[in-house]
Amino acid sequence: MDGLHPVNAGALLTNRSGFIPCTPKGVMAMLESIGLDDLSGMNAVVLGRSNLVGKPLALLLQNKNATVTIVHSKTKDIKTITSKADILVAAIGQPKMVKSDWVKDGAVVIDVGINRMENGKLCGDVDFDDVCDKVKAISPVPKGVGPMTVCMLLENTLESYHNKEREMDERKRICLMTIVEMKKNSLP
C-alpha cells in the first residue's frame, strides 16, 4: 500500500499503473489542488534524492511534463539551481536550510522535511518565515505534507481493496462459467 515495493517502483519508472509512494503522491495532490495539473514548461527542483521521496517525486513531476532537476548534498552551488525553480520541493532533512535567496519570486514551495529544533518545536527544511512572503504558495510544517501522506496511504488502501474486489468478482465469474460448462458436458 505504501508504494515502496520494487514492483511499484518499476511501474512508476515506466509510467504504468501501480501504487504510488504516499508522500510523493501527496505532494502531487497538493500541486493539483492549486491548479498545477499540467507542468509543461515549468522547472521543478527536488532537493533530495531518497528512494522514499526524491526519486519517485522526480518521476511523477516528469510524468506531468515538468523539467526536473534533482539536487543533493554533493551538488555544487545548490542555491543557483533552486533559485530558478518554478516548483521547489525540499526533502533533504536539514532544518531551515532553504532561505529566501534560494527561492525564485512567485515559486511554489513544498516542504517535505520535518525536523525537531533544540527548543522542541518542529520545522521543515525551508525557513518558512524567511520564504513565505516571496512565494506564490508554500506548505507548512507541521500540518502540510504529513497529513497528505496519511491521506494517500488511505487512498492506496482503498484502491487495493477495490482491486481485490474486482479480482474476486472475476474469479467468481470464471468459477461459475466453469460450473456451467461442466454441467453442460455432463448432460446426456
Side-chain angles (χ1 to χ4, degrees):
M1 254 56 73
D2 61 10
L4 299 175
H5 190 278
V7 169
N8 292 313
L12 180 58
L13 181 65
T14 57
N15 201 16
R16 295 193 174 134
S17 65
F19 292 111
I20 297 170
C22 300
T23 300
K25 186 176 180 179
V27 169
M28 297 305 292
M30 293 173 86
L31 293 173
E32 289 170 11
S33 77
I34 60 169
L36 295 178
D37 298 330
D38 181 10
L39 306 179
S40 297
M42 298 185 82
N43 290 315
V45 173
V46 179
L47 183 54
R49 59 179 169 178
S50 71
N51 291 331
L52 181 66
V53 178
K55 290 175 184 175
L57 181 59
L59 290 169
L60 289 170
L61 291 164
Q62 227 175 12
N63 290 344
K64 291 287 188 173
N65 302 316
T67 300
V68 180
T69 304
I70 299 175
V71 298
H72 49 80
S73 60
K74 305 296 184 206
T75 302
K76 293 182 181 181
D77 200 14
I78 294 173
K79 182 169 61 169
T80 299
I81 298 167
T82 60
S83 65
K84 295 176 183 171
D86 301 305
I87 299 168
L88 174 61
V89 182
I92 196 101
Q94 296 296 318
K96 298 186 178 187
M97 180 177 176
V98 177
K99 305 290 186 191
S100 64
D101 60 340
W102 286 44
V103 179
K104 178 180 174 180
D105 285 335
V108 172
V109 178
I110 306 289
D111 193 346
V112 177
I114 187 152
N115 309 282
R116 188 167 302 280
M117 299 186 328
E118 288 180 17
N119 64 8
K121 291 187 176 185
L122 295 175
C123 71
D125 295 346
V126 177
D127 188 337
F128 186 91
D129 293 331
D130 189 44
V131 171
C132 69
D133 291 333
K134 188 174 186 177
V135 297
K136 175 182 177 183
I138 185 170
S139 65
V141 175
K143 300 181 182 176
V145 174
M148 289 302 298
T149 299
V150 174
C151 288
M152 297 303 110
L153 179 59
L154 293 171
E155 190 175 277
N156 282 355
T157 302
L158 189 59
E159 181 182 338
S160 176
Y161 170 78
H162 288 301
N163 289 345
K164 196 59 142 175
E165 285 292 304
R166 281 190 292 277
E167 184 180 304
M168 290 303 292
D169 288 345
E170 181 63 15
R171 285 183 184 170
K172 288 177 188 174
R173 189 184 66 75
I174 290 170
C175 285
L176 285 173
M177 287 175 51
T178 303
I179 291 169
V180 168
E181 193 62 36
M182 289 172 59
K183 284 183 178 181
K184 282 182 186 177
N185 292 335
S186 66
L187 293 174

